[in-house]
Amino acid sequence: MTRVIYLQILPHALMQSKIAEGQRLTITSTPVGARALKVPHKSLPNLAQEGLRDRGVRVANPLQAHRQLQRAVRAAIAPSDVEGTARAIAPALQAILRAGTDLHKLETVGESRIQQLARVVFIYKNALAESGCIDSSELLWQASRHPGTGQPLSIYGYFNPRRDELAFIDAIAAAGSEIVLPCADDPLFAENQEAVQWLQGQGWQVAEAVTAPPTLGDRLQHAFLSRATPAHCIAHTYPNLEAEVRGTLARVKQLLSQGVSARAIALAVRDEVSYGPTVLDVAWEYELPVRALYATPLHDTRLGAWVQLLLQAIAEQFPFEVTAKLLRHPLGAKLDRDTWPNVRATHPAGLAGWQQHGIDLSPLNWPASDTRENWVQRLQQAFDEFFELRRRAGRWAREIVAYYTLQEQLVQLAKPEREAIAFADFARDILDTLALLTVPAQPGRGGVELHSPRSLMGGNYEYVFVLGAAEGVLPAPVRDDPMLDFHARRSLIRAGFPLESAAAAARREAAIFYTLLHAPRQQLTLSYPQLRGKDPTLPSPYLSRLGVEPIPAPPQPIASWEEARRANLRGEAMCDDPVWPHAVRALQVERRRESGHPPDEYDGMVRLPIAPETHRFSASQIAALGQCPFKWFADRLLRLSELSEAEVELSPSFKGRLYHRSLELAVKAAMSAEDIRQATKDQLDDAIAKSETELELRAVRGWQGQRLEHLQILQRAIAQPDFLSYGATIIALEHKFEVEWLGLKIRGTLDRVDELSDGVALIDYKTGSSTTSMKVKDDSDRLSLDIQMPLYLQVAQNALFPDKSVTRAEYYSLTQGKNLSKKMPDAETVKSILHQVKLHLEKGQYPVNPDINQQACRYCSFDLVCRKGARLSRKYRRSP
């Protein structure tokens, strides 16, 4: 019996009948091809590995190959960046090995860069061979040299075979074998024509053309070569990528609702990384089962991200930020809702710090060095015993696949078992593993599959949707390899080296698309977005080769509850949708908020009166009400506050507490001195030492480096003339008061009270250079009226020091060392402001109404609640 070549892609039914005729082993390039032929999937690499395994040769795992490549690079080149150089060389190394290049000859030709590359490959191959391994790129070449006894094969799906695939096929295919190798009279098939000639030279015979009724795939392929417009092929344009994905998946869902099986539909994208996440997100919204089988690096999975956090936390001895992320991660889940606020408020670090919150991290207290076997055992215990990682990862299909993929690699990382290495080296091995290993982006069973054109080779579907059919995406641009560029390849090809040229790479892309065209039986739909990001796109040149003119996509059918709600918000109510009434109500609220209508209850006009005498007001509360009533309402009545956070740097409010307390202690200790100013400066160092203990400043990051700066700021402030007037007597420090005045309970603290010859002066320390935070709006809606010091003047004169003349009230800037200017409203204005405060409470009205320049909003933490924006100009008919 002879070995036969079929020069056309056979219909799947005909191929199935031919397989059934004889006792041949069917070899398919992809799982979808095997499924179309209804045979088990076995590929050429599978067959090659079986043969080499019998001879004790195995393919190096990714980490082992990466380590050996680094050593080869270090030995042959010795660059400063071994890791980066190894990663840059890897694609060129794979191309050389896959081409079966003679390395000894390669070392003698071409430029020095190529000779250097040949030495790296030679050292790398020998290093792997010493451990009984080979690189995956030379698998087929090695297997073809020791094929063993051949067997009849039926080879389908290898429609564009490389040289190593051809050599292996010829070596193992016994008499009676057959291969399908499309080879029309077109430049597209230049490589296949050479392959047919080579196979004929090895004794293969070309079979006569098979007569069968033409399928849609046959007509599409004919159109691609002849530019004739085929039937059942359309091309749609969409405004952008998301619209393209939504339109395509909506039509897929429509087909499923009509009874079409999910296995009869395929999605194909050339740029899986760009399209994959959007396809999966929209499919989730549409409740559409989609499987994405393109490879995702382990470090991009949830599990990979969590393992990186684990290693970083151990290496850095459990600092707060990294450890908190580790423990709050869905795969960690060691910080419950009750513990987290306390942890956030204190920022624990180290084993002891976390232990204080009941979190025992001692199982992760690893030594600096250990054997490989013990390192892997420690990591396994952390995974399974401490974090129950397998159970938690089981909630997601991709994460449990990632978990088992990493487990398999840990077996290799434990070898040699007794080799002692540092934790840093073991962690680097784990990180390299996460970068080198991949898992399917969305594994699982059933559902509509998302493929690349290559993975559809030999497949058979009723409907195929090709997304991203735009120029620069389909076909993918042919890119140069920086280590083995096309200029160098052209020179090597002339010298007899069988490397792929730029033209051959472009033809291979076109040939892959050509084979994809054989997959659909009823309909092929191509689409592309008119914009990618902000850049306009053009249709793929493949559309013109097919003779298809793209047209705007038809109206998209509604495919999710979210889309139905958006479409019906202005129309009739939706039945059986519990969200609908709430969505309508929310829209009504938002329309009113954005309109020019007066504020309502969603803008603070709650109209629930509160007796003013039930509240105690500080000057800052009165200022908040005078700046924007909603600011006070959100803070004091709704009690909307952020979680308390430990100070990790000296914030303005924390600095204010430090300065006030330090000056209080220093001035109090110096009050009996003859020269109070000098004595205060002398006492300042001790005062700051006491303050930093009270405020736990030693826990603040970088405090010791900042301490001297703050000491010098306060020393300069004390030395300035405005700090203490000549002849002044200090009669009170941090004097707290609470009085009832004009129907309001007012409380506050006087930082310092001085008695002068002309009366009493009230001093308020400021750490900044502005008093904006204590100003309220004037008649023009601008923050210009200071309220704190005028209020303190009135209260001090009438309630605190009634037997003295209170004549002055000053803001003293500690950073600038001088009194700050201010616009002091008169007593009647102060009374009017307090009267307005009472009206807000009595009427229950706290509208979102900041000053015209929105200065009050700069340090307000309630912007996500009030959502001020441009709508306020419509409500209040004003402009800055």
Side-chain angles (χ1 to χ4, degrees):
M1 295 178 66
T2 59
R3 299 185 294 181
V4 177
I5 309 170
Y6 292 99
L7 301 183
Q8 64 190 96
I9 299 179
L10 303 182
H12 293 86
L14 179 59
M15 191 65 195
Q16 287 173 1
S17 65
K18 293 183 71 63
I19 292 172
E21 288 176 1
Q23 299 298 319
R24 301 186 189 92
L25 175 65
T26 303
I27 303 297
T28 53
S29 61
T30 63
V32 298
R35 190 169 67 213
L37 298 179
K38 299 179 182 179
V39 295
H41 173 54
K42 183 179 283 291
S43 65
L44 292 179
N46 297 149
L47 204 58
Q49 288 192 56
E50 290 175 3
L52 290 177
R53 193 181 301 121
D54 295 338
R55 295 176 44 244
V57 179
R58 59 185 176 84
V59 175
N61 66 71
L63 183 60
Q64 181 184 13
H66 184 62
R67 286 176 181 165
Q68 293 294 358
L69 179 56
Q70 287 180 316
R71 296 189 182 108
V73 167
R74 190 179 290 110
I77 304 176
S80 57
D81 180 10
V82 174
E83 171 73 16
T85 305
R87 291 190 183 278
I89 282 178
L93 176 143
Q94 292 166 3
I96 289 173
L97 292 178
R98 195 172 287 122
T101 307
D102 184 341
L103 296 178
H104 293 288
K105 182 180 178 183
L106 189 62
E107 279 190 287
T108 63
V109 301
E111 55 186 291
S112 59
R113 175 167 55 95
I114 302 301
Q115 295 174 6
Q116 199 174 54
L117 179 60
R119 285 196 296 274
V120 171
V121 179
F122 188 80
I123 295 171
Y124 170 74
K125 277 190 62 174
N126 288 342
L128 288 181
E130 289 176 4
S131 58
C133 297
I134 60 171
D135 186 89
S136 59
S137 300
E138 59 174 339
L139 169 64
L140 299 183
W141 285 116
Q142 290 287 345
S144 64
R145 295 187 183 107
H146 305 280
T149 58
Q151 57 183 319
L153 302 177
S154 183
I155 301 167
Y156 192 77
Y158 287 90
F159 300 139
N160 312 102
R162 302 187 307 265
R163 290 185 72 254
D164 56 338
E165 293 170 339
L166 284 172
F168 183 58
I169 289 170
D170 181 63
I172 62 172
S177 297
E178 56 187 18
I179 181 173
V180 176
L181 194 59
C183 190
D185 185 17
D186 189 278
L188 174 65
F189 300 99
E191 283 69 35
N192 278 12
Q193 290 162 1
E194 293 177 5
V196 169
Q197 292 176 7
W198 184 85
L199 288 173
Q200 286 178 312
Q202 308 303 313
W204 292 70
Q205 294 184 4
V206 175
E208 295 182 3
V210 177
T211 303
T215 64
L216 173 62
D218 294 328
R219 293 193 293 271
L220 290 170
Q221 290 178 331
H222 174 73
F224 189 71
L225 299 180
S226 63
R227 290 175 170 77
T229 304
H232 305 290
C233 177
I234 54 176
H236 289 149
T237 63
Y238 290 88
N240 52 53
L241 187 146
E242 183 176 347
E244 179 189 13
V245 171
R246 286 185 176 276
T248 301
L249 294 187
R251 278 159 182 80
V252 168
K253 189 168 184 178
Q254 198 173 42
L255 289 172
L256 295 177
S257 68
Q258 294 169 0
V260 178
S261 168
R263 284 204 163 196
I265 305 171
L267 304 171
V269 293
R270 183 62 180 86
D271 187 357
E272 296 164 307
V273 175
S274 295
Y275 274 86
T278 305
V279 169
L280 294 176
D281 288 346
V282 175
W284 176 84
E285 179 189 327
Y286 285 4
E287 299 178 0
L288 183 66
V290 169
R291 280 200 297 153
L293 304 179
Y294 64 90
T296 297
L298 265 183
H299 65 60
D300 288 344
T301 64
R302 288 185 182 92
L303 181 131
W306 181 83
V307 171
Q308 293 176 71
L309 287 172
L310 174 66
L311 296 175
Q312 186 180 355
I314 294 171
E316 297 177 6
Q317 293 297 301
F318 312 104
F320 169 73
E321 292 87 350
V322 175
T323 310
K325 289 179 181 178
L326 173 73
L327 300 180
R328 283 177 60 81
H329 193 282
L331 296 177
K334 288 286 186 180
L335 271 179
D336 56 39
R337 186 176 298 177
D338 297 330
T339 307
W340 172 237
N342 294 330
V343 167
R344 182 168 177 171
T346 57
H347 281 207
L351 289 173
W354 288 101
Q355 185 66 53
Q356 291 175 1
H357 293 276
I359 301 171
D360 183 13
L361 298 177
S362 57
L364 304 179
N365 186 23
W366 294 354
S369 179
D370 209 337
T371 63
R372 285 190 174 277
E373 183 179 33
N374 287 346
W375 280 130
V376 170
Q377 185 177 359
R378 291 178 188 279
L379 190 62
Q380 295 279 23
Q381 289 174 344
F383 284 177
D384 299 330
E385 298 176 17
F386 190 65
F387 288 105
E388 301 179 64
L389 189 60
R390 179 171 56 183
R391 178 178 65 82
R392 299 185 191 283
R395 289 179 286 176
W396 302 279
R398 185 182 70 175
E399 304 312 317
I400 195 64
V401 171
Y403 173 82
Y404 284 115
T405 301
L406 181 58
Q407 289 289 336
E408 291 176 6
Q409 185 60 43
L410 289 179
V411 175
Q412 301 298 324
L413 283 176
K415 299 175 183 178
E417 292 84 352
R418 308 315 302 167
E419 180 185 0
I421 60 171
F423 170 74
D425 295 328
F426 176 70
R428 190 178 304 111
D429 283 348
I430 296 293
L431 295 177
D432 286 343
T433 298
L434 297 177
L436 293 168
L437 296 182
T438 62
V439 292
Q442 185 76 4
R445 294 182 178 179
V448 177
E449 295 174 348
L450 175 67
H451 288 281
S452 69
R454 181 182 292 276
S455 65
L456 275 177
M457 277 196 176
N460 192 20
Y461 297 87
E462 297 294 326
Y463 300 89
V464 175
F465 294 85
V466 180
L467 294 85
E471 186 176 297
V473 181
L474 182 72
V478 176
R479 302 188 185 280
D480 241 343
D481 184 334
M483 302 302 296
L484 189 61
D485 57 43
F486 286 120
H487 174 74
R489 289 181 183 227
R490 185 165 56 249
S491 300
L492 292 173
I493 291 170
R494 290 171 182 166
F497 293 95
L499 295 169
E500 187 175 61
S501 65
R507 286 194 295 270
R508 183 177 295 277
E509 278 285 321
I512 291 172
F513 182 76
Y514 173 85
T515 58
L516 175 148
L517 295 175
H518 199 265
R521 288 198 296 263
Q522 290 195 36
Q523 182 76 57
L524 173 67
T525 304
L526 302 106
S527 61
Y528 73 93
Q530 293 175 314
L531 286 175
R532 292 194 75 202
K534 296 181 180 179
D535 300 324
T537 63
L538 294 172
S540 166
Y542 291 168
L543 298 186
S544 61
R545 288 199 63 164
L546 277 170
V548 178
E549 185 68 29
I551 59 174
Q556 174 188 330
I558 293 173
S560 69
W561 282 105
E562 289 78 5
E563 290 180 349
R565 289 166 191 147
R566 285 196 294 269
N568 287 296
L569 275 175
R570 295 182 178 87
E572 299 180 0
M574 293 175 59
C575 300
D576 302 324
D577 181 14
V579 177
W580 175 257
H582 304 288
V584 172
R585 178 59 179 155
L587 180 62
Q588 292 171 347
V589 169
E590 289 306 306
R591 281 176 174 169
R592 182 176 177 87
R593 283 167 64 99
E594 292 295 329
S595 72
H597 294 296
D600 59 7
E601 64 269 29
Y602 296 98
D603 267 322
M605 304 292 280
V606 293
R607 295 181 175 85
L608 298 175
I610 297 175
E613 61 272 11
T614 61
H615 278 261
R616 293 183 302 171
F617 288 89
S618 63
S620 60
Q621 290 187 52
I622 294 171
L625 273 161
Q627 293 174 357
C628 175
F630 189 86
K631 188 176 183 179
W632 181 86
F633 171 67
D635 183 23
R636 296 293 168 168
L637 295 188
L638 297 182
R639 299 186 181 278
L640 303 178
S641 59
E642 298 176 344
L643 286 174
S644 59
E645 187 82 36
E647 295 283 348
V648 294
E649 58 184 17
L650 211 57
S651 63
S653 62
F654 210 62
K655 183 168 69 174
R657 291 164 59 193
L658 168 67
Y659 285 11
H660 279 72
R661 182 57 176 157
S662 299
L663 284 175
E664 178 188 5
L665 294 172
V667 174
K668 184 180 292 184
M671 285 180 63
S672 60
E674 187 173 326
D675 187 347
I676 294 179
R677 190 190 304 272
Q678 184 58 47
T680 300
K681 289 178 64 177
D682 295 340
Q683 294 290 333
L684 196 55
D685 198 358
D686 290 340
I688 288 182
K690 293 178 182 178
S691 299
E692 68 183 5
T693 300
E694 292 177 8
L695 301 175
E696 299 181 351
L697 279 172
R698 292 183 181 89
V700 175
R701 183 186 302 150
W703 162 247
Q704 291 303 322
Q706 302 175 48
R707 188 182 189 281
L708 179 60
E709 176 187 355
H710 296 298
L711 174 62
Q712 292 173 342
I713 288 174
L714 290 179
Q715 287 175 336
R716 286 196 299 268
I718 294 169
Q720 303 308 312
D722 283 354
F723 178 76
L724 185 66
S725 299
Y726 179 76
T729 301
I730 300 173
I731 61 175
L733 291 172
E734 297 298 323
H735 180 69
K736 293 180 172 56
F737 65 87
E738 183 172 334
V739 300
E740 186 169 339
W741 189 55
L742 297 179
L744 293 175
K745 291 180 179 179
I746 299 174
R747 60 182 174 86
T749 301
L750 299 172
D751 293 341
R752 204 177 80 216
V753 182
D754 296 351
E755 187 169 18
L756 304 170
S757 58
D758 59 346
V760 171
L762 311 179
I763 310 298
D764 190 82
Y765 300 138
K766 296 295 181 188
T767 55
S769 59
S770 171
T771 61
T772 302
S773 62
M774 301 309 300
K775 290 179 179 179
V776 299
K777 293 183 291 186
D778 57 20
D779 293 338
S780 64
D781 270 339
R782 287 175 169 78
L783 290 189
S784 65
L785 301 177
D786 179 74
I787 186 61
Q788 181 181 1
M789 296 317 287
L791 178 62
Y792 283 4
L793 272 175
Q794 298 288 330
V795 170
Q797 183 63 70
N798 291 280
L800 302 181
F801 306 104
D803 56 340
K804 297 180 182 292
S805 174
V806 182
T807 58
R808 292 167 50 193
E810 299 290 348
Y811 292 117
Y812 182 71
S813 171
L814 297 172
T815 52
Q816 291 196 335
K818 64 179 182 179
N819 292 329
L820 300 176
S821 60
K822 57 190 177 298
K823 181 179 180 181
M824 293 276 286
D826 55 32
E828 291 303 316
T829 303
V830 173
K831 291 179 180 180
S832 175
I833 293 170
L834 296 183
H835 177 69
Q836 187 62 42
V837 168
K838 292 171 64 177
L839 285 178
H840 282 303
L841 271 69
E842 291 168 350
K843 294 184 177 181
Q845 297 180 349
Y846 314 98
V848 177
N849 187 17
D851 60 286
I852 195 169
N853 295 316
Q854 298 189 358
Q855 289 181 284
C857 306
R858 291 181 181 175
Y859 303 105
C860 177
S861 56
F862 308 113
D863 54 326
L864 293 178
V865 182
C866 78
R867 291 156 55 197
K868 52 186 190 305
R871 68 189 186 90
L872 296 184
S873 62
R874 295 189 289 273
K875 286 204 179 296
Y876 300 110
R877 307 296 180 189
R878 65 189 187 188
S879 58

